[in-house]
Amino acid sequence: MADCLKEKTIGSRSINVNPNLIQSVTAVKGIGEESAELLAEMNIYTVKDLLEYFPYRYEDYRLKDLAEIKHDERVTVEGKVHSEPSLAYYGRKRSRLTVRVLVGRYLIQVILFNQPYLKNKIVLNETVTVTGKWDQHRQVITASELKIGNASGNKDFEPVYAVKGNVSVKGIRRFIKLAFSQHGNEISETLPEKYLLQYRLLNRRDAVRSLHFPADEQELKQGRRRFVYEEFFYFQLKMQALRKIEREQSKGVAQAYDLSKLMEFIDSLPFDLTGAQKRVVNEIMSDLKSPYRMNRLLQGDVGSGKTAVAAIALFASRTAGFQGALMVPTEILAEQHAESLKSMLEPFGLRCELLTSSVKGKRRKDILQHLRDGEIDILIGTHALIQEEVEFNKLGLVITDEQHRFGVGQRRILREKGENPDVLFMTATPIPRTLAITVFGEMDVSIIDEMPAGRKAIETYWAKPEMLDRVLGFMDKELSAGQQVYVICPLIEESDKLDVQNAIDVHATLMHHFHGRYDVGLMHGRLHPEEKESVMKAFSRNEIQVLVSTTVVEVGVNVPNATMMVIYDAERFGLAQLHQLRGRVGRGDKQSFCVLLSDPKSEVGKERMKIMTETNDGFALSEKDLELRGPGDFFGRKQSGLPEFKVADMVHDYRALETARNDASMLVESDEFWHSDEYLPLREYLKEAGVLEGEKLD
Ligand code: ADP
Ligand code: MG
């Protein structure tokens, strides 16, 4: 099952395929062995591959008015040749042809590279049609094409394909035209008719034609719309089927927890739950109670109170007679969680233990033994928890924190410990809704979208590097008030390539600046785990007042006395990550501050800094981040598990994604989906994708 999550290309690959289409491309008259070899380098093997090799953009040949074209945009214009063309060679094969053209009231210069043969065709006062990039400042079009004569007879759009090796765009256009004219009629429908009707989608054949040979913008849109839906629908069909099967066919246990004890526990907490916490606790409780296995993602901004929710769930599971486990990505975090869970749960007689790779020897043996005997109620640890030697007596609930750092594989191993334990994944990285329903489409999602009352919002400022002195003054002020400061840098050491402040340099500078007054510590990923830990401990004990660090402090650590964070080269981080970093301060009752030291060059970079100073809402930031950076970069470390769609775009087409998700979800819940012949191809598809096993079909 895991494999279907990793699969890269999405779509209705295997449904209703005419056997003629899965022949080699050489079945197309006009494509020979040689061309087939070239196409193979582009991963195009069959006729179907060729027909579904869609353009990545379109050349727009509709005539435009230069007055309405922005700088750097591509444009097609018609004009009169206003000067003799001049041709200059440089190198043996490279040339540059320049000619003045009068376009409306603009006298512009047109530059053409490496098309010297055009020189003799361009005649003074004749009309030409030019397509290229408009440089508004210099009034120049760098043209990719120049056609003698006016634009009439031109197509509106010409597809542009990604090409490789010796295949040219013109070549692939020709191949696709041949393939479509000979095999277009063999393209059959792959979507259930009801959706075609409901959304007035083009049939598959027409949609293929519209994407390759659009007559106008409307056709292009319609072709795209159909394939966006198709890709999302088939992707979601897998996700929703997986979700249903995981829920129903994995025999979970119904945990009969003790409600009155649970209420007593909740009342013992030093605060009232927020409305959002209550809601997600209810969602989790009904999962525990149900005979299905919980597979739930809990999202909540830093400080929204997820740990309390985890404690409540673990407590409830214990009253039903089960052990629980909490898995986190780092040792420091494990320790902090162990501490806070102990303080909440031990007064109620629950035994919590910490297991990390630094717990060794007899102590480790004892813990493992007591865990097997069922004397330990809650085990907290790093990925050490998924090692084989760790055996539970009766594991009922597994919670992982910051789950996106664990891969799909690890998520599964953990779940396989014990007999179908309920699983809750917690994350403080607010994942935009669109990504959440894509990457975690097979899970239920709970969201804590409310902060405990009385929290002071962190004040965030954006400062240019030349204002460093003032920032240092600001730090002095906080430090002299007895507070502590984080300083974050993107890299550890100096690098020739990247002109960024590095932690080691910054540490040296600040040591010098605060010499004799405050202690400055350094932490980064290349330190030994023990060293990291001792630095972190020293900071949490206020033995160090200023902590210079790379992003290793990012997750979860809690030092409420730290009220200020300075982030160097802030433009190098994603918004979600900046927000996560910023969440290290503002954990006490004092006003906290975050200073972004940054001099972004691009507009997008400036925009991102501005957004950071304007909002503290992690979800809003993450939506924005996704919009600005795209899904591939969203998780920073190139988190896998994101499907790649050929036509669809998760960000811009998110409405279609939601629609497809609802449709797929309703469909897999319906009886007819599992029994009627109409859906046999879809069930075959799920089987082939590894979601269904043969015998589970009826
Ligand atoms: P998260 O894990 O979501 O970042 P925590 O669970 O660590 O957040 O909670 C952050 C802080 O807020 C903790 O000190 C916790 O005790 C406190 N807290 C949690 N829930 C509430 C609440 N409902 N009201 C007030 N404080 C709360
Ligand atoms: Mg937390």
Side-chain angles (χ1 to χ4, degrees):
M1 272 192 201
D3 291 341
C4 77
L5 295 172
K6 286 188 218 127
E7 189 206 331
K8 282 289 175 188
T9 37
I10 315 288
S12 57
R13 290 171 303 155
S14 54
I15 298 173
N16 273 346
V17 183
N18 184 316
N20 287 343
L21 294 182
I22 39 184
Q23 303 177 86
S24 154
V25 287
T26 53
V28 177
K29 281 184 220 86
I31 299 182
E33 288 296 341
E34 225 170 285
S35 307
E37 263 171 49
L38 294 176
L39 289 172
E41 278 169 39
M42 294 161 59
N43 290 324
I44 299 171
Y45 304 98
T46 64
V47 179
K48 183 174 191 299
D49 292 341
L50 188 56
L51 289 172
E52 291 174 19
Y53 194 78
F54 295 126
Y56 73 96
R57 69 175 184 87
Y58 296 84
E59 199 69 83
D60 183 350
Y61 288 114
R62 293 172 300 172
L63 289 179
K64 298 268 166 60
D65 183 348
L66 277 180
E68 282 159 23
I69 301 301
K70 290 200 200 82
H71 178 65
D72 262 4
E73 271 184 1
R74 292 186 67 83
V75 62
T76 296
V77 293
E78 229 178 58
K80 263 202 170 58
V81 178
H82 203 261
S83 71
E84 292 291 346
S86 78
L87 179 64
Y89 276 95
Y90 50 103
R92 252 200 290 163
K93 284 188 175 161
R94 303 200 296 166
S95 69
R96 182 174 187 268
L97 184 68
T98 323
V99 62
R100 289 178 163 283
V101 177
L102 187 66
V103 180
R105 52 198 170 76
Y106 287 82
L107 181 58
I108 66 165
Q109 194 167 45
V110 172
I111 301 174
L112 284 139
F113 288 101
N114 308 325
Q115 301 185 49
Y117 47 86
L118 283 173
K119 179 170 191 268
N120 295 328
K121 298 188 177 165
I122 297 173
V123 179
L124 203 60
N125 290 324
E126 295 281 288
T127 300
V128 289
T129 305
V130 174
T131 301
K133 195 156 110 179
W134 172 230
D135 182 333
Q136 192 178 32
H137 312 311
R138 294 165 50 220
Q139 307 266 297
V140 169
I141 290 180
T142 305
S144 52
E145 282 169 60
L146 182 146
K147 182 187 143 194
I148 308 297
N150 65 22
S152 74
N154 264 10
K155 283 226 179 65
D156 281 359
F157 297 99
E158 209 56 272
V160 182
Y161 299 89
V163 287
K164 226 181 173 174
N166 283 330
V167 182
S168 65
V169 174
K170 284 204 173 118
I172 189 115
R173 275 184 198 154
R174 195 172 62 84
F175 292 147
I176 290 173
K177 223 168 250 167
L178 288 169
F180 191 82
S181 66
Q182 296 167 38
H183 295 274
N185 285 329
E186 291 156 8
I187 299 172
S188 38
E189 188 46 61
T190 58
L191 280 173
E193 201 184 351
K194 69 171 176 188
Y195 302 120
L196 292 179
L197 294 175
Q198 189 175 344
Y199 305 119
R200 297 165 192 251
L201 299 173
L202 289 184
N203 71 47
R204 200 164 202 274
R205 175 181 185 278
D206 288 346
V208 169
R209 193 190 40 219
S210 303
L211 285 183
H212 289 302
F213 324 109
D216 54 32
E217 194 171 12
Q218 194 53 26
E219 258 195 41
L220 186 56
K221 263 198 191 141
Q222 292 305 329
R224 221 186 144 265
R225 203 164 70 87
R226 181 222 144 95
F227 272 100
V228 167
Y229 184 82
E230 179 186 308
E231 289 186 319
F232 285 156
F233 177 79
Y234 280 99
F235 175 64
Q236 286 296 340
L237 187 65
K238 275 195 299 200
M239 290 306 222
Q240 298 311 315
L242 192 60
R243 178 167 171 232
K244 181 181 162 74
I245 290 163
E246 293 225 333
R247 195 174 64 228
E248 294 177 4
Q249 302 199 345
S250 60
K251 293 163 235 89
V253 272
Q255 301 195 23
Y257 58 84
D258 185 327
L259 185 61
S260 67
K261 277 191 191 154
L262 184 64
M263 293 313 293
E264 204 184 310
F265 175 68
I266 293 175
D267 286 340
S268 81
L269 296 174
F271 42 74
D272 291 333
L273 296 184
T274 62
Q277 279 172 317
K278 282 185 198 152
R279 194 184 62 234
V280 305
V281 165
N282 281 332
E283 288 164 353
I284 293 166
M285 290 309 133
S286 76
D287 279 358
L288 286 183
K289 244 188 322 203
S290 87
Y292 300 146
R293 186 160 70 175
M294 169 160 69
N295 187 25
R296 184 172 287 280
L297 178 70
L298 173 60
Q299 290 187 258
D301 213 339
V302 243
S304 62
K306 293 184 297 299
T307 312
V309 171
I312 292 168
L314 289 166
F315 184 88
S317 179
R318 181 67 200 91
T319 66
F322 291 92
Q323 291 171 298
L326 176 66
M327 184 162 90
V328 298
T330 67
E331 300 218 348
I332 300 166
L333 207 52
E335 279 185 22
Q336 288 198 342
H337 270 103
E339 228 169 84
S340 65
L341 285 183
K342 273 182 190 173
S343 74
M344 286 187 265
L345 295 168
E346 280 186 350
F348 286 80
L350 271 66
R351 180 167 163 202
C352 307
E353 291 291 349
L354 175 70
L355 186 71
T356 63
S357 49
S358 46
V359 176
K360 295 188 175 110
K362 173 147 182 356
R363 175 143 182 78
R364 184 177 192 87
K365 245 173 114 183
D366 284 350
I367 288 182
L368 293 174
Q369 185 60 47
H370 293 161
L371 195 64
R372 268 195 296 274
D373 296 343
E375 284 170 41
I376 292 173
D377 300 304
I378 313 290
L379 188 67
I380 299 125
T382 52
H383 55 271
L385 292 195
I386 58 175
Q387 283 160 6
E388 224 166 87
E389 53 166 357
V390 182
E391 280 173 48
F392 290 82
N393 184 280
K394 202 177 175 200
L395 180 60
L397 175 62
V398 175
I399 302 181
T400 73
D401 197 5
E402 302 307 335
Q403 55 66 43
H404 71 276
R405 299 200 164 201
F406 297 109
V408 174
Q410 280 174 316
R411 301 205 300 242
R412 274 161 206 276
I413 295 177
L414 189 62
R415 202 159 36 183
E416 274 148 26
K417 294 238 162 220
E419 284 165 39
N420 297 312
D422 284 316
V423 181
L424 180 68
F425 301 94
M426 303 198 296
T427 180
T429 309
I431 302 165
R433 208 166 31 140
T434 52
L435 280 191
I437 68 175
T438 309
V439 185
F440 305 107
E442 91 283 16
M443 295 186 200
D444 295 305
V445 179
S446 290
I447 297 177
I448 306 183
D449 52 5
E450 178 186 354
M451 284 292 186
R455 280 286 160 75
K456 291 202 177 67
I458 300 162
E459 283 177 24
T460 300
Y461 301 97
W462 169 21
K464 296 275 174 70
E466 54 267 27
M467 289 157 72
L468 183 61
D469 278 345
R470 283 177 59 188
V471 175
L472 286 173
F474 196 168
M475 287 168 71
D476 262 311
K477 205 173 127 223
E478 285 301 293
L479 290 164
S480 66
Q483 308 302 135
Q484 289 163 277
V485 178
Y486 289 102
V487 177
I488 308 295
C489 308
L491 284 189
I492 304 170
E493 281 168 39
E494 203 171 346
S495 137
D496 292 338
K497 290 202 191 91
L498 297 166
D499 178 24
V500 288
Q501 293 287 339
N502 59 75
I504 290 169
D505 270 3
V506 170
H507 178 243
T509 310
L510 293 181
M511 288 253 279
H512 181 75
H513 180 83
F514 292 117
H515 182 74
R517 296 185 292 146
Y518 304 108
D519 284 308
V520 183
L522 174 64
M523 186 161 81
H524 54 70
R526 272 194 228 151
L527 292 182
H528 230 262
E530 286 102 82
E531 292 174 285
K532 261 192 263 180
E533 223 170 301
S534 79
V535 176
M536 204 56 230
K537 278 204 181 118
F539 188 63
S540 67
R541 292 193 201 110
N542 201 0
E543 293 159 9
I544 291 172
Q545 288 75 46
V546 180
L547 180 64
V548 178
S549 174
T550 56
T551 56
V552 289
V553 290
E554 183 182 340
V555 218
V557 288
N558 193 20
V559 181
N561 193 48
T563 53
M564 181 174 182
M565 174 174 283
V566 178
I567 305 178
Y568 277 76
D569 298 300
E571 75 279 0
R572 302 186 57 82
F573 298 99
L575 291 182
Q577 199 180 13
L578 286 173
H579 181 65
Q580 184 94 10
L581 284 166
R582 175 169 68 179
R584 297 310 106 217
V585 297
R587 302 180 80 82
D589 39 23
K590 298 241 169 47
Q591 178 61 52
S592 288
F593 307 93
C594 175
V595 178
L596 308 169
L597 271 175
S598 167
D599 192 9
K601 300 280 176 283
S602 70
E603 287 308 311
V604 169
K606 287 175 191 160
E607 165 98 12
R608 292 171 56 217
M609 292 305 112
K610 234 179 99 223
I611 296 166
M612 282 301 295
T613 64
E614 284 165 3
T615 179
N616 266 303
D617 177 342
F619 278 97
L621 280 169
S622 74
E623 294 281 355
K624 204 72 201 171
D625 206 15
L626 180 62
E627 209 177 281
L628 293 173
R629 301 206 304 171
D633 284 339
F634 182 78
F635 288 104
R637 292 152 272 267
K638 195 83 194 155
Q639 162 84 11
S640 62
L642 280 179
E644 283 168 18
F645 299 103
K646 279 197 225 169
V647 178
D649 175 323
M650 279 189 286
V651 182
H652 295 108
D653 302 318
Y654 81 92
R655 270 174 214 283
L657 180 56
E658 286 189 329
T659 306
R661 184 183 203 243
N662 291 339
D663 291 343
S665 163
M666 298 237 290
L667 190 60
V668 300
E669 294 298 337
S670 72
D671 269 352
E672 46 161 358
F673 178 75
W674 300 100
H675 300 293
S676 117
D677 283 348
E678 187 191 349
Y679 295 111
L680 187 65
L682 299 197
R683 297 198 298 270
E684 289 293 330
Y685 164 80
L686 290 178
K687 243 200 262 181
E688 201 177 297
V691 176
L692 291 187
E693 322 224 334
E695 71 270 21
K696 283 185 185 157
L697 267 177
D698 27 50

